[in-house]
Amino acid sequence: VGFGGLEFNDFIDAHRVLGISRMTSIERNQGLVHRLELNKPYAGMKILIGEARDQLPLVDWTIPAIIWLDYMDALTRDILRDVEYVVRKALPGSLLVVTLNADLGSALSARLEQLRTNLDDLAPTAVTKDDLADWGVADVQRSVLFEQADLYSNEKNKSGVHQILDIGYKDSARMQTWAGVLSSPVTA
């Protein structure tokens, strides 16, 4: 499950390298439906049009999955709601990958306010504007994302999320990708 874009490059790689054949792409832009269908690389690929929060309930959650929520935005409560939905619905052993913008698109002096606007009561209270210099935004977003995913997983089945990836990179903006595996329920 992912956001394939017009060219579906990540889906092609997942099929070629991992042999994955059941794929679902969620696309926000309704004006691209015809082009997406034309560019779809595999007949069995399912394309869902609309916001992730509206389309995630249409995904088949009966098998373990690789879910890549590939956002261009900084972490927000809406993105965390998508993460919560996936963690609560995906089976243990599923891999959740989340890509976020780590710039906040603002000067250092305004980043703290933007972070608090984006995350509301989930913004860490101890964070200062100086903590958000350089890759500091990515550090805070990773911390909040991991804590929330782990919380949702523990509420679901008394098990956590095992973080396996946290990288930052810069193309046109500072970006970060985090990944975690949903663990199995703890048995007594």
Side-chain angles (χ1 to χ4, degrees):
V1 178
F3 306 157
L6 282 174
E7 297 173 354
F8 301 102
N9 291 326
D10 298 327
F11 285 83
I12 292 168
D13 288 343
H15 178 74
R16 183 179 51 80
V17 176
L18 302 174
I20 296 172
S21 58
R22 289 180 60 178
M23 296 180 263
T24 302
S25 180
I26 300 172
E27 300 303 327
R28 182 187 308 187
N29 190 337
Q30 294 187 14
L32 297 176
V33 174
H34 180 70
R35 185 151 178 215
L36 290 167
E37 286 295 335
L38 287 175
N39 289 353
K40 184 169 68 170
Y42 308 108
M45 178 181 278
K46 184 176 181 180
I47 298 175
L48 302 174
I49 304 297
E51 295 292 332
R53 68 180 165 264
D54 299 325
Q55 301 308 311
L56 286 169
L58 303 176
V59 171
D60 178 4
W61 297 108
T62 62
I63 59 172
I66 298 172
I67 305 99
W68 186 355
L69 304 177
D70 189 6
Y71 297 98
M72 298 301 294
D73 305 313
L75 188 63
T76 63
R77 290 298 295 247
D78 286 341
I79 291 171
L80 287 169
R81 278 189 277 280
D82 293 345
V83 168
E84 178 180 11
Y85 188 87
V86 168
V87 170
R88 292 186 188 280
K89 291 294 185 178
L91 293 179
S94 293
L95 173 66
L96 172 61
V97 183
V98 181
T99 297
L100 301 165
N101 185 309
D103 263 340
L104 285 182
S106 56
L108 180 59
S109 60
R111 289 182 188 170
L112 186 56
E113 186 59 36
Q114 185 63 53
L115 181 77
R116 289 184 176 142
T117 298
N118 288 356
L119 298 177
D120 195 30
D121 62 323
L122 295 178
T125 56
V127 172
T128 68
K129 72 176 177 81
D130 294 332
D131 294 329
L132 301 177
D134 297 318
W135 287 95
V137 171
D139 293 339
V140 171
Q141 290 186 145
R142 184 216 50 85
S143 176
V144 171
L145 177 61
F146 175 66
E147 287 173 13
Q148 292 303 301
D150 199 53
L151 173 70
Y152 305 143
S153 183
N154 274 300
E155 288 175 354
K156 173 187 173 188
N157 58 18
K158 305 290 187 263
S159 65
V161 173
H162 299 285
Q163 178 180 307
I164 61 168
L165 179 72
D166 177 33
I167 58 171
Y169 56 94
K170 185 170 181 170
D171 42 30
S172 62
R174 284 182 203 245
M175 300 296 289
Q176 69 184 115
T177 298
W178 173 90
V181 175
L182 308 182
S183 59
S184 297
V186 175
T187 56

mmCIF file of all heavy atoms in Angstrom, residues 3-5 10 26-28 51-52 68-76 79 82 97-105 118 137 141 169-177:
data_model
loop_
_atom_site.group_PDB
_atom_site.id
_atom_site.type_symbol
_atom_site.label_atom_id
_atom_site.label_comp_id
_atom_site.label_asym_id
_atom_site.label_seq_id
_atom_site.Cartn_x
_atom_site.Cartn_y
_atom_site.Cartn_z
ATOM 1 N N PHE A 3 1.595 5.502 -1.944
ATOM 2 C CA PHE A 3 1.215 6.629 -2.790
ATOM 3 C C PHE A 3 2.107 6.540 -4.025
ATOM 4 O O PHE A 3 3.220 7.041 -4.028
ATOM 5 C CB PHE A 3 1.433 7.959 -2.074
ATOM 6 C CG PHE A 3 0.780 8.089 -0.719
ATOM 7 C CD1 PHE A 3 1.254 8.992 0.202
ATOM 8 C CD2 PHE A 3 -0.315 7.320 -0.357
ATOM 9 C CE1 PHE A 3 0.663 9.146 1.448
ATOM 10 C CE2 PHE A 3 -0.914 7.461 0.888
ATOM 11 C CZ PHE A 3 -0.418 8.370 1.789
ATOM 12 N N GLY A 4 1.618 5.891 -5.076
ATOM 13 C CA GLY A 4 2.460 5.534 -6.219
ATOM 14 C C GLY A 4 2.866 6.658 -7.139
ATOM 15 O O GLY A 4 3.858 6.553 -7.851
ATOM 16 N N GLY A 5 2.124 7.741 -7.170
ATOM 17 C CA GLY A 5 2.459 8.808 -8.103
ATOM 18 C C GLY A 5 2.149 8.409 -9.528
ATOM 19 O O GLY A 5 1.632 7.332 -9.800
ATOM 20 N N ASP A 10 8.122 3.153 -7.179
ATOM 21 C CA ASP A 10 8.314 2.316 -5.988
ATOM 22 C C ASP A 10 7.564 0.995 -6.108
ATOM 23 O O ASP A 10 8.040 -0.042 -5.645
ATOM 24 C CB ASP A 10 7.868 3.065 -4.730
ATOM 25 C CG ASP A 10 8.687 4.328 -4.505
ATOM 26 O OD1 ASP A 10 9.880 4.326 -4.844
ATOM 27 O OD2 ASP A 10 8.129 5.319 -4.005
ATOM 28 N N ILE A 26 -2.771 4.770 -3.376
ATOM 29 C CA ILE A 26 -3.729 5.806 -2.985
ATOM 30 C C ILE A 26 -3.239 7.117 -3.568
ATOM 31 O O ILE A 26 -2.104 7.527 -3.323
ATOM 32 C CB ILE A 26 -3.863 5.910 -1.457
ATOM 33 C CG1 ILE A 26 -4.356 4.569 -0.893
ATOM 34 C CG2 ILE A 26 -4.793 7.056 -1.071
ATOM 35 C CD1 ILE A 26 -4.344 4.502 0.625
ATOM 36 N N GLU A 27 -4.088 7.761 -4.350
ATOM 37 C CA GLU A 27 -3.720 9.015 -5.007
ATOM 38 C C GLU A 27 -4.721 10.095 -4.655
ATOM 39 O O GLU A 27 -5.926 9.910 -4.757
ATOM 40 C CB GLU A 27 -3.663 8.826 -6.519
ATOM 41 C CG GLU A 27 -2.652 7.789 -6.955
ATOM 42 C CD GLU A 27 -1.243 8.069 -6.474
ATOM 43 O OE1 GLU A 27 -0.859 9.247 -6.352
ATOM 44 O OE2 GLU A 27 -0.522 7.090 -6.199
ATOM 45 N N ARG A 28 -4.221 11.240 -4.257
ATOM 46 C CA ARG A 28 -5.047 12.357 -3.808
ATOM 47 C C ARG A 28 -5.726 13.086 -4.970
ATOM 48 O O ARG A 28 -6.859 13.523 -4.849
ATOM 49 C CB ARG A 28 -4.155 13.323 -3.036
ATOM 50 C CG ARG A 28 -4.876 14.501 -2.470
ATOM 51 C CD ARG A 28 -3.949 15.532 -1.858
ATOM 52 N NE ARG A 28 -3.017 14.957 -0.905
ATOM 53 C CZ ARG A 28 -2.210 15.654 -0.153
ATOM 54 N NH1 ARG A 28 -2.198 16.950 -0.226
ATOM 55 N NH2 ARG A 28 -1.396 15.074 0.690
ATOM 56 N N GLU A 51 -8.160 11.281 -0.370
ATOM 57 C CA GLU A 51 -7.249 11.423 0.762
ATOM 58 C C GLU A 51 -7.009 10.057 1.400
ATOM 59 O O GLU A 51 -7.908 9.215 1.451
ATOM 60 C CB GLU A 51 -7.840 12.381 1.800
ATOM 61 C CG GLU A 51 -8.003 13.802 1.317
ATOM 62 C CD GLU A 51 -6.679 14.514 1.070
ATOM 63 O OE1 GLU A 51 -5.659 14.176 1.732
ATOM 64 O OE2 GLU A 51 -6.643 15.403 0.203
ATOM 65 N N ALA A 52 -5.805 9.855 1.915
ATOM 66 C CA ALA A 52 -5.459 8.577 2.544
ATOM 67 C C ALA A 52 -6.462 8.204 3.633
ATOM 68 O O ALA A 52 -6.909 7.063 3.701
ATOM 69 C CB ALA A 52 -4.045 8.644 3.114
ATOM 70 N N TRP A 68 3.541 2.183 2.801
ATOM 71 C CA TRP A 68 4.433 3.331 2.728
ATOM 72 C C TRP A 68 3.585 4.582 2.564
ATOM 73 O O TRP A 68 3.052 4.852 1.487
ATOM 74 C CB TRP A 68 5.417 3.194 1.580
ATOM 75 C CG TRP A 68 6.465 4.278 1.537
ATOM 76 C CD1 TRP A 68 6.560 5.378 2.326
ATOM 77 C CD2 TRP A 68 7.567 4.339 0.634
ATOM 78 N NE1 TRP A 68 7.648 6.128 1.983
ATOM 79 C CE2 TRP A 68 8.290 5.513 0.947
ATOM 80 C CE3 TRP A 68 8.004 3.522 -0.407
ATOM 81 C CZ2 TRP A 68 9.429 5.886 0.251
ATOM 82 C CZ3 TRP A 68 9.139 3.903 -1.094
ATOM 83 C CH2 TRP A 68 9.838 5.064 -0.767
ATOM 84 N N LEU A 69 3.462 5.330 3.640
ATOM 85 C CA LEU A 69 2.753 6.604 3.628
ATOM 86 C C LEU A 69 3.788 7.673 3.301
ATOM 87 O O LEU A 69 4.521 8.135 4.160
ATOM 88 C CB LEU A 69 2.076 6.847 4.983
ATOM 89 C CG LEU A 69 1.112 5.755 5.442
ATOM 90 C CD1 LEU A 69 0.570 6.073 6.829
ATOM 91 C CD2 LEU A 69 -0.012 5.554 4.440
ATOM 92 N N ASP A 70 3.857 8.038 2.038
ATOM 93 C CA ASP A 70 4.920 8.887 1.480
ATOM 94 C C ASP A 70 4.405 10.317 1.318
ATOM 95 O O ASP A 70 3.970 10.706 0.235
ATOM 96 C CB ASP A 70 5.363 8.292 0.145
ATOM 97 C CG ASP A 70 6.589 8.950 -0.429
ATOM 98 O OD1 ASP A 70 7.188 9.810 0.236
ATOM 99 O OD2 ASP A 70 6.956 8.600 -1.573
ATOM 100 N N TYR A 71 4.457 11.077 2.414
ATOM 101 C CA TYR A 71 3.919 12.443 2.417
ATOM 102 C C TYR A 71 4.971 13.445 1.971
ATOM 103 O O TYR A 71 6.172 13.233 2.164
ATOM 104 C CB TYR A 71 3.438 12.820 3.826
ATOM 105 C CG TYR A 71 2.312 11.968 4.327
ATOM 106 C CD1 TYR A 71 2.544 10.904 5.176
ATOM 107 C CD2 TYR A 71 1.010 12.219 3.931
ATOM 108 C CE1 TYR A 71 1.508 10.108 5.633
ATOM 109 C CE2 TYR A 71 -0.043 11.431 4.384
ATOM 110 C CZ TYR A 71 0.219 10.377 5.232
ATOM 111 O OH TYR A 71 -0.802 9.592 5.677
ATOM 112 N N MET A 72 4.515 14.562 1.449
ATOM 113 C CA MET A 72 5.388 15.690 1.132
ATOM 114 C C MET A 72 5.321 16.741 2.236
ATOM 115 O O MET A 72 6.023 17.749 2.188
ATOM 116 C CB MET A 72 4.972 16.321 -0.210
ATOM 117 C CG MET A 72 5.092 15.380 -1.392
ATOM 118 S SD MET A 72 6.757 14.751 -1.642
ATOM 119 C CE MET A 72 7.619 16.245 -2.075
ATOM 120 N N ASP A 73 4.475 16.510 3.231
ATOM 121 C CA ASP A 73 4.214 17.472 4.303
ATOM 122 C C ASP A 73 4.968 17.089 5.574
ATOM 123 O O ASP A 73 5.370 15.941 5.756
ATOM 124 C CB ASP A 73 2.711 17.494 4.627
ATOM 125 C CG ASP A 73 1.867 17.766 3.402
ATOM 126 O OD1 ASP A 73 2.194 18.688 2.655
ATOM 127 O OD2 ASP A 73 0.873 17.030 3.197
ATOM 128 N N ALA A 74 5.098 18.063 6.475
ATOM 129 C CA ALA A 74 5.620 17.793 7.811
ATOM 130 C C ALA A 74 4.559 17.014 8.598
ATOM 131 O O ALA A 74 3.385 16.958 8.210
ATOM 132 C CB ALA A 74 5.951 19.109 8.508
ATOM 133 N N LEU A 75 4.970 16.426 9.702
ATOM 134 C CA LEU A 75 4.062 15.640 10.525
ATOM 135 C C LEU A 75 2.941 16.506 11.086
ATOM 136 O O LEU A 75 3.186 17.593 11.609
ATOM 137 C CB LEU A 75 4.845 15.002 11.688
ATOM 138 C CG LEU A 75 4.086 14.000 12.544
ATOM 139 C CD1 LEU A 75 3.660 12.787 11.722
ATOM 140 C CD2 LEU A 75 4.963 13.566 13.723
ATOM 141 N N THR A 76 1.707 16.014 10.960
ATOM 142 C CA THR A 76 0.518 16.702 11.468
ATOM 143 C C THR A 76 -0.367 15.698 12.198
ATOM 144 O O THR A 76 -0.165 14.483 12.095
ATOM 145 C CB THR A 76 -0.309 17.327 10.323
ATOM 146 O OG1 THR A 76 -0.785 16.252 9.482
ATOM 147 C CG2 THR A 76 0.495 18.327 9.505
ATOM 148 N N ILE A 79 -1.834 13.270 9.644
ATOM 149 C CA ILE A 79 -0.931 12.175 9.286
ATOM 150 C C ILE A 79 -0.898 11.145 10.412
ATOM 151 O O ILE A 79 -0.939 9.937 10.163
ATOM 152 C CB ILE A 79 0.476 12.710 8.954
ATOM 153 C CG1 ILE A 79 0.430 13.492 7.637
ATOM 154 C CG2 ILE A 79 1.497 11.577 8.893
ATOM 155 C CD1 ILE A 79 1.703 14.246 7.297
ATOM 156 N N ASP A 82 -3.765 8.863 10.146
ATOM 157 C CA ASP A 82 -3.528 7.817 9.144
ATOM 158 C C ASP A 82 -2.650 6.714 9.728
ATOM 159 O O ASP A 82 -2.916 5.526 9.541
ATOM 160 C CB ASP A 82 -2.858 8.397 7.896
ATOM 161 C CG ASP A 82 -3.745 9.349 7.115
ATOM 162 O OD1 ASP A 82 -4.975 9.380 7.346
ATOM 163 O OD2 ASP A 82 -3.197 10.086 6.260
ATOM 164 N N VAL A 97 6.065 2.319 6.787
ATOM 165 C CA VAL A 97 7.087 3.295 6.403
ATOM 166 C C VAL A 97 6.380 4.633 6.240
ATOM 167 O O VAL A 97 5.320 4.706 5.607
ATOM 168 C CB VAL A 97 7.768 2.889 5.077
ATOM 169 C CG1 VAL A 97 8.881 3.871 4.716
ATOM 170 C CG2 VAL A 97 8.288 1.458 5.133
ATOM 171 N N VAL A 98 6.961 5.689 6.818
ATOM 172 C CA VAL A 98 6.379 7.027 6.723
ATOM 173 C C VAL A 98 7.471 8.000 6.288
ATOM 174 O O VAL A 98 8.528 8.066 6.916
ATOM 175 C CB VAL A 98 5.779 7.492 8.066
ATOM 176 C CG1 VAL A 98 5.159 8.883 7.925
ATOM 177 C CG2 VAL A 98 4.750 6.494 8.580
ATOM 178 N N THR A 99 7.206 8.727 5.212
ATOM 179 C CA THR A 99 8.118 9.769 4.741
ATOM 180 C C THR A 99 7.477 11.119 5.010
ATOM 181 O O THR A 99 6.286 11.302 4.753
ATOM 182 C CB THR A 99 8.421 9.598 3.236
ATOM 183 O OG1 THR A 99 9.081 8.342 3.042
ATOM 184 C CG2 THR A 99 9.305 10.715 2.714
ATOM 185 N N LEU A 100 8.287 12.048 5.530
ATOM 186 C CA LEU A 100 7.806 13.375 5.921
ATOM 187 C C LEU A 100 8.777 14.462 5.466
ATOM 188 O O LEU A 100 9.973 14.223 5.339
ATOM 189 C CB LEU A 100 7.698 13.474 7.448
ATOM 190 C CG LEU A 100 6.785 12.491 8.147
ATOM 191 C CD1 LEU A 100 7.076 12.471 9.638
ATOM 192 C CD2 LEU A 100 5.337 12.847 7.870
ATOM 193 N N ASN A 101 8.244 15.660 5.296
ATOM 194 C CA ASN A 101 9.064 16.837 5.077
ATOM 195 C C ASN A 101 9.632 17.240 6.435
ATOM 196 O O ASN A 101 8.891 17.340 7.417
ATOM 197 C CB ASN A 101 8.216 17.961 4.481
ATOM 198 C CG ASN A 101 9.030 19.168 4.112
ATOM 199 O OD1 ASN A 101 9.802 19.688 4.906
ATOM 200 N ND2 ASN A 101 8.851 19.631 2.893
ATOM 201 N N ALA A 102 10.930 17.472 6.502
ATOM 202 C CA ALA A 102 11.571 17.814 7.774
ATOM 203 C C ALA A 102 12.025 19.268 7.819
ATOM 204 O O ALA A 102 12.836 19.632 8.658
ATOM 205 C CB ALA A 102 12.761 16.883 8.020
ATOM 206 N N ASP A 103 11.507 20.086 6.948
ATOM 207 C CA ASP A 103 11.901 21.496 6.899
ATOM 208 C C ASP A 103 10.951 22.416 7.659
ATOM 209 O O ASP A 103 11.371 23.442 8.155
ATOM 210 C CB ASP A 103 11.959 21.986 5.444
ATOM 211 C CG ASP A 103 13.368 21.953 4.889
ATOM 212 O OD1 ASP A 103 14.323 21.936 5.676
ATOM 213 O OD2 ASP A 103 13.502 21.946 3.656
ATOM 214 N N LEU A 104 9.709 22.117 7.705
ATOM 215 C CA LEU A 104 8.635 22.981 8.214
ATOM 216 C C LEU A 104 8.502 24.251 7.384
ATOM 217 O O LEU A 104 7.662 25.087 7.679
ATOM 218 C CB LEU A 104 8.812 23.337 9.695
ATOM 219 C CG LEU A 104 8.497 22.247 10.699
ATOM 220 C CD1 LEU A 104 8.659 22.759 12.120
ATOM 221 C CD2 LEU A 104 7.112 21.668 10.512
ATOM 222 N N GLY A 105 9.344 24.421 6.365
ATOM 223 C CA GLY A 105 9.202 25.530 5.426
ATOM 224 C C GLY A 105 9.205 26.907 6.047
ATOM 225 O O GLY A 105 8.603 27.818 5.521
ATOM 226 N N ASN A 118 1.042 22.176 14.006
ATOM 227 C CA ASN A 118 0.899 20.884 13.325
ATOM 228 C C ASN A 118 0.501 19.758 14.271
ATOM 229 O O ASN A 118 -0.286 18.886 13.906
ATOM 230 C CB ASN A 118 2.201 20.488 12.632
ATOM 231 C CG ASN A 118 2.510 21.313 11.408
ATOM 232 O OD1 ASN A 118 1.727 22.170 10.996
ATOM 233 N ND2 ASN A 118 3.673 21.078 10.828
ATOM 234 N N VAL A 137 14.102 19.269 13.503
ATOM 235 C CA VAL A 137 12.687 19.014 13.189
ATOM 236 C C VAL A 137 12.482 17.520 12.944
ATOM 237 O O VAL A 137 11.538 16.912 13.443
ATOM 238 C CB VAL A 137 12.224 19.844 11.967
ATOM 239 C CG1 VAL A 137 10.833 19.413 11.515
ATOM 240 C CG2 VAL A 137 12.255 21.334 12.287
ATOM 241 N N GLN A 141 10.025 15.029 15.005
ATOM 242 C CA GLN A 141 8.965 14.298 14.286
ATOM 243 C C GLN A 141 9.143 12.792 14.453
ATOM 244 O O GLN A 141 8.175 12.069 14.661
ATOM 245 C CB GLN A 141 8.962 14.678 12.798
ATOM 246 C CG GLN A 141 8.485 16.079 12.563
ATOM 247 C CD GLN A 141 8.335 16.425 11.090
ATOM 248 O OE1 GLN A 141 7.438 17.173 10.741
ATOM 249 N NE2 GLN A 141 9.171 15.921 10.210
ATOM 250 N N TYR A 169 17.409 12.904 4.435
ATOM 251 C CA TYR A 169 18.070 13.185 3.163
ATOM 252 C C TYR A 169 17.516 14.484 2.625
ATOM 253 O O TYR A 169 16.472 14.966 3.061
ATOM 254 C CB TYR A 169 17.870 12.044 2.165
ATOM 255 C CG TYR A 169 16.415 11.717 1.909
ATOM 256 C CD1 TYR A 169 15.730 12.281 0.833
ATOM 257 C CD2 TYR A 169 15.729 10.851 2.754
ATOM 258 C CE1 TYR A 169 14.397 11.990 0.618
ATOM 259 C CE2 TYR A 169 14.393 10.560 2.539
ATOM 260 C CZ TYR A 169 13.732 11.129 1.473
ATOM 261 O OH TYR A 169 12.410 10.851 1.259
ATOM 262 N N LYS A 170 18.220 15.050 1.677
ATOM 263 C CA LYS A 170 17.759 16.308 1.110
ATOM 264 C C LYS A 170 17.775 16.206 -0.399
ATOM 265 O O LYS A 170 18.794 15.919 -1.011
ATOM 266 C CB LYS A 170 18.646 17.460 1.578
ATOM 267 C CG LYS A 170 18.131 18.801 1.107
ATOM 268 C CD LYS A 170 18.854 19.943 1.755
ATOM 269 C CE LYS A 170 18.234 21.234 1.233
ATOM 270 N NZ LYS A 170 18.691 22.391 1.966
ATOM 271 N N ASP A 171 16.583 16.416 -0.989
ATOM 272 C CA ASP A 171 16.509 16.592 -2.442
ATOM 273 C C ASP A 171 16.120 18.056 -2.636
ATOM 274 O O ASP A 171 16.949 18.926 -2.472
ATOM 275 C CB ASP A 171 15.592 15.574 -3.123
ATOM 276 C CG ASP A 171 14.286 15.311 -2.384
ATOM 277 O OD1 ASP A 171 13.769 16.221 -1.700
ATOM 278 O OD2 ASP A 171 13.765 14.208 -2.500
ATOM 279 N N SER A 172 14.885 18.375 -2.909
ATOM 280 C CA SER A 172 14.483 19.780 -2.976
ATOM 281 C C SER A 172 14.164 20.330 -1.589
ATOM 282 O O SER A 172 14.054 21.534 -1.408
ATOM 283 C CB SER A 172 13.284 19.954 -3.916
ATOM 284 O OG SER A 172 12.184 19.223 -3.432
ATOM 285 N N ALA A 173 14.006 19.466 -0.617
ATOM 286 C CA ALA A 173 13.735 19.857 0.772
ATOM 287 C C ALA A 173 14.318 18.787 1.686
ATOM 288 O O ALA A 173 14.583 17.663 1.246
ATOM 289 C CB ALA A 173 12.229 19.980 1.007
ATOM 290 N N ARG A 174 14.494 19.132 2.943
ATOM 291 C CA ARG A 174 14.899 18.105 3.912
ATOM 292 C C ARG A 174 13.730 17.141 4.082
ATOM 293 O O ARG A 174 12.613 17.560 4.371
ATOM 294 C CB ARG A 174 15.213 18.730 5.262
ATOM 295 C CG ARG A 174 16.523 19.431 5.328
ATOM 296 C CD ARG A 174 16.732 19.966 6.746
ATOM 297 N NE ARG A 174 17.656 21.060 6.711
ATOM 298 C CZ ARG A 174 18.851 21.041 7.275
ATOM 299 N NH1 ARG A 174 19.240 19.986 7.944
ATOM 300 N NH2 ARG A 174 19.651 22.081 7.179
ATOM 301 N N MET A 175 14.019 15.869 3.929
ATOM 302 C CA MET A 175 13.000 14.835 4.062
ATOM 303 C C MET A 175 13.509 13.788 5.040
ATOM 304 O O MET A 175 14.709 13.663 5.259
ATOM 305 C CB MET A 175 12.696 14.185 2.705
ATOM 306 C CG MET A 175 12.190 15.133 1.635
ATOM 307 S SD MET A 175 10.597 15.881 2.006
ATOM 308 C CE MET A 175 9.508 14.466 1.812
ATOM 309 N N GLN A 176 12.575 13.031 5.599
ATOM 310 C CA GLN A 176 12.949 11.938 6.478
ATOM 311 C C GLN A 176 12.039 10.755 6.202
ATOM 312 O O GLN A 176 10.878 10.925 5.829
ATOM 313 C CB GLN A 176 12.865 12.357 7.934
ATOM 314 C CG GLN A 176 11.451 12.588 8.430
ATOM 315 C CD GLN A 176 11.415 13.098 9.855
ATOM 316 O OE1 GLN A 176 10.995 14.215 10.057
ATOM 317 N NE2 GLN A 176 11.836 12.292 10.808
ATOM 318 N N THR A 177 12.599 9.575 6.366
ATOM 319 C CA THR A 177 11.816 8.352 6.237
ATOM 320 C C THR A 177 12.059 7.502 7.482
ATOM 321 O O THR A 177 13.200 7.253 7.865
ATOM 322 C CB THR A 177 12.178 7.588 4.957
ATOM 323 O OG1 THR A 177 11.865 8.404 3.822
ATOM 324 C CG2 THR A 177 11.415 6.280 4.859
#
